[in-house]
Amino acid sequence: MTLIHEPLPEKIGPLTDADIDRMEASAATIDGHLATGRPIYGLTLGFGPLVTFEAEDEAEQGNSLISHLGTAQGRPLDPEACRLVVWLRLNSMRKGFSAVSPEFWQRVADLWNAGFVPAIPRDGTVSASGDLQPLAHAALGFAGHGEAWVRGESGQWSLAPAREVLAELGSEPLEWPVREALAFVNGTGVCLAVSLLNQRSAVRAVRAISTLTARITELLGGNPEHFEEGVGQARGQQGQIEVARWLRKEIPAGHTRNESRPLQEPYSLRCTPQVLGAVLDQLNFAGEILVRESEGCTDNPLTYDDKVLHGGNFHAMPVGFASEQTGLALHSAAYLAERQLGVLLNPTTNNGLPIMLTPRAGRGAGLAGVQISTTSFISRIRQLVTPASLTTLPTNGWNQDHVPMALNSANGVGEALDLAWLTIGSLALAVTQLAAITGRSTEGTGLWAELTEISPPLDVDRPMAGEVRRAADVMRRHADTLLADRS
């Protein structure tokens, strides 16, 4: 399987001989343990606080596990996240710690390859014994319960009954044996999938804001000295050095400070490498944690060196902290963009141009509404990225007395990212109107020409909500292209 920070492959490759050997050895370890009469959680004993009670029917246990956990609620995660969830669990289950049958693994993988995507509700897990409830719903989807995502010929996704989707793929619903059910639901796959996608989106946001910062510097005649290589080298912070390199690459060669501009720009422009660089460093660190998690095994129990080990790898604290750090870093990036918007709309800082960049001051209000909405976005982001680990509550009787709330965090950060991109779209509109009001809108090509087409000069006020959304989409695509180019 490819590294998770790369796009997911369309197909999961078959198990290798080494995979099968590891998986069969793990199953043999479990069988040997059972033959001696020693207890194993979930196989000979009940689940959670019911571990003190014996379980008599291993076949019944599998159905019982995914059924009693089918209590998640809320709208389903996006199809991309749902696909990634199953991919992550399959990646974990093939490593040979989980006593999973290679034959059953292949059946699930074949359905994933055929395009089966269970719809996974986003709310209702504490991410402590793994993401039990949403993962149970994913397993229930393979068993023909609930809904699945279906992709139409136009590429649009819609929901359909899981049983019908399986039938269209020529498959009967799966019956989950208890060993495979335990391995599937006792994992961090849901909060991990959402956090990975969030982290990738947040890096794109940093790249997009740096592009807009370079354009602002060019249009205002800002001081490029702020982004000189020597500033970053003197400090030695890698993120700062990288962001400053991006800025230098995108500010036109030969650009000099307009004498009407201050020697030292406001911090939202002057300190862009320091702020976005710090954000980038934190996102990279979070990404390393998340990639390690995606390459590990988060089941319980697991086998290792012919031992059956009962532990707590399913506790999602590493994912929770990485998600929270992503959210906190994202806020600083989005806030920087909002403050740059403020610079552009204020005559004191925009070279004496009309307030709100309206060419019809008094008769027109320009970007006043855009700024007010953006202020609301930042306030809401602050609410959404408040660390979920600060809201932990004990549950599950006496059993889960310390829980990370990692999926709650990841869902909040995901919503915050939606608002951050709208903030970036708002700033992109302001940059576009700045070019128009200074008579430079016809100079731009590529990205800037596309933004001008989306948001032509404000001859009269007009509703701009759609323009903000389209500009955000353009900036997202542009950042993807830039990040794919490692030169």
Side-chain angles (χ1 to χ4, degrees):
M1 293 186 176
T2 59
L3 286 176
I4 202 65
H5 52 263
E6 302 294 338
L8 276 182
E10 287 299 316
K11 303 291 184 181
I12 295 175
L15 294 171
T16 65
D17 290 342
D19 290 333
I20 294 171
D21 288 345
R22 291 193 305 269
M23 295 167 78
E24 291 181 343
S26 179
T29 298
I30 290 287
D31 290 338
H33 200 89
L34 290 172
T36 66
R38 286 175 287 178
I40 298 180
Y41 172 77
L43 273 63
T44 65
L45 300 172
F47 304 117
L50 301 173
V51 69
T52 56
F53 296 88
E54 292 185 0
E56 298 180 358
D57 187 340
E58 187 172 321
E60 181 184 0
Q61 284 286 90
N63 181 66
S64 173
L65 177 62
I66 62 174
S67 293
H68 93 273
L69 293 172
T71 57
Q73 302 288 347
R75 69 184 189 277
L77 298 171
D78 292 340
E80 182 183 16
C82 292
R83 285 190 78 237
L84 180 52
V85 166
V86 179
W87 188 94
L88 288 165
R89 296 315 300 141
L90 288 169
N91 190 42
S92 175
M93 292 162 67
R94 78 188 299 173
K95 292 185 177 296
F97 298 108
S98 311
V100 168
S101 157
E103 294 76 17
F104 189 87
W105 185 97
Q106 194 62 59
R107 290 186 67 192
V108 178
D110 287 345
L111 283 170
W112 192 91
N113 285 340
F116 184 75
V117 183
I120 303 173
R122 67 183 57 226
D123 298 318
T125 182
V126 297
S127 303
S129 247
D131 294 309
L132 290 171
Q133 283 75 11
L135 284 172
H137 280 270
L140 286 165
F142 283 97
H145 300 285
E147 293 182 310
W149 286 107
V150 179
R151 193 167 196 172
E153 294 182 1
S154 65
Q156 296 297 311
W157 291 92
S158 60
L159 293 168
R163 186 174 292 270
E164 293 179 9
V165 178
L166 288 169
E168 290 176 3
L169 295 174
S171 175
E172 292 291 327
L174 301 186
E175 292 283 343
W176 283 86
V178 67
R179 300 186 194 190
E180 284 71 20
L182 264 177
F184 192 85
V185 306
N186 268 190
T188 62
V190 184
C191 61
L192 176 59
V194 178
S195 295
L196 281 162
L197 295 172
N198 288 346
Q199 188 268 354
R200 288 173 55 187
S201 182
V203 171
R204 288 195 291 268
V206 170
R207 191 66 185 88
I209 297 168
S210 71
T211 292
L212 292 171
T213 304
R215 181 66 166 165
I216 292 168
T217 300
E218 175 191 357
L219 292 174
L220 289 183
N223 190 351
E225 184 180 319
H226 305 328
F227 315 133
E228 285 279 350
E229 182 178 7
V231 178
Q233 292 295 337
R235 192 177 200 179
Q237 293 289 354
Q238 290 305 305
Q240 176 182 336
I241 292 170
E242 178 74 353
V243 171
R245 184 181 70 83
W246 292 343
L247 289 162
R248 291 195 303 275
K249 187 175 181 180
E250 296 192 86
I251 294 173
H255 172 82
T256 58
R257 178 175 69 90
N258 186 322
E259 291 185 0
S260 67
R261 295 301 298 176
L263 179 66
Q264 298 193 148
E265 289 286 349
Y267 283 16
S268 60
L269 294 175
R270 190 197 333 167
C271 298
T272 295
Q274 288 78 8
V275 175
L276 293 186
V279 170
L280 187 62
D281 282 337
Q282 291 301 312
L283 293 177
N284 286 337
F285 176 67
E288 292 173 4
I289 298 290
L290 296 172
V291 168
R292 284 206 296 270
E293 186 83 353
S294 73
E295 294 173 345
C297 179
T298 56
D299 305 348
N300 177 60
L302 53 82
T303 64
Y304 190 85
D305 284 346
D306 299 323
K307 296 178 182 179
V308 176
L309 301 176
H310 293 84
N313 278 359
F314 47 45
H315 195 290
M317 203 75 259
V319 179
F321 281 154
S323 174
E324 291 172 2
Q325 198 56 36
T326 296
L328 295 173
L330 169 71
H331 163 260
S332 282
Y335 180 47
L336 183 83
E338 187 274 339
R339 286 294 78 217
Q340 290 182 352
L341 176 64
V343 167
L344 298 187
L345 301 186
N346 189 334
T348 302
T349 51
N350 70 8
N351 290 348
L353 295 170
I355 190 169
M356 300 300 164
L357 293 180
T358 175
R360 308 170 69 249
R363 292 179 298 162
L367 294 168
V370 170
Q371 185 181 36
I372 292 170
S373 292
T374 304
T375 302
S376 172
F377 300 155
I378 298 300
S379 175
R380 182 62 181 145
I381 287 171
R382 291 175 178 177
Q383 297 163 17
L384 289 165
V385 304
T386 298
S389 62
L390 297 179
T391 67
T392 184
L393 292 166
T395 188
N396 199 223
W398 47 261
N399 186 41
Q400 297 184 33
D401 60 346
H402 185 292
V403 301
M405 301 294 186
L407 183 56
N408 283 2
S409 170
N411 285 337
V413 174
E415 293 181 32
L417 273 158
D418 292 339
L419 297 172
W421 280 108
L422 292 175
T423 301
I424 292 168
S426 300
L427 178 60
L429 290 197
V431 170
T432 304
Q433 294 304 318
L434 173 65
I437 207 167
T438 55
R440 300 185 61 182
S441 59
T442 59
E443 299 176 10
T445 60
L447 170 65
W448 311 120
E450 189 172 3
L451 287 171
T452 298
E453 184 176 348
I454 289 171
S455 185
L458 271 171
D459 297 328
V460 295
D461 288 343
R462 60 178 182 265
M464 302 189 80
E467 294 177 28
V468 169
R469 294 192 297 272
R470 292 195 294 276
D473 289 340
V474 167
M475 293 306 303
R476 186 184 288 109
R477 292 197 302 272
H478 184 72
D480 264 336
T481 301
L482 291 175
L483 288 170
D485 180 8
R486 299 296 181 180
S487 62

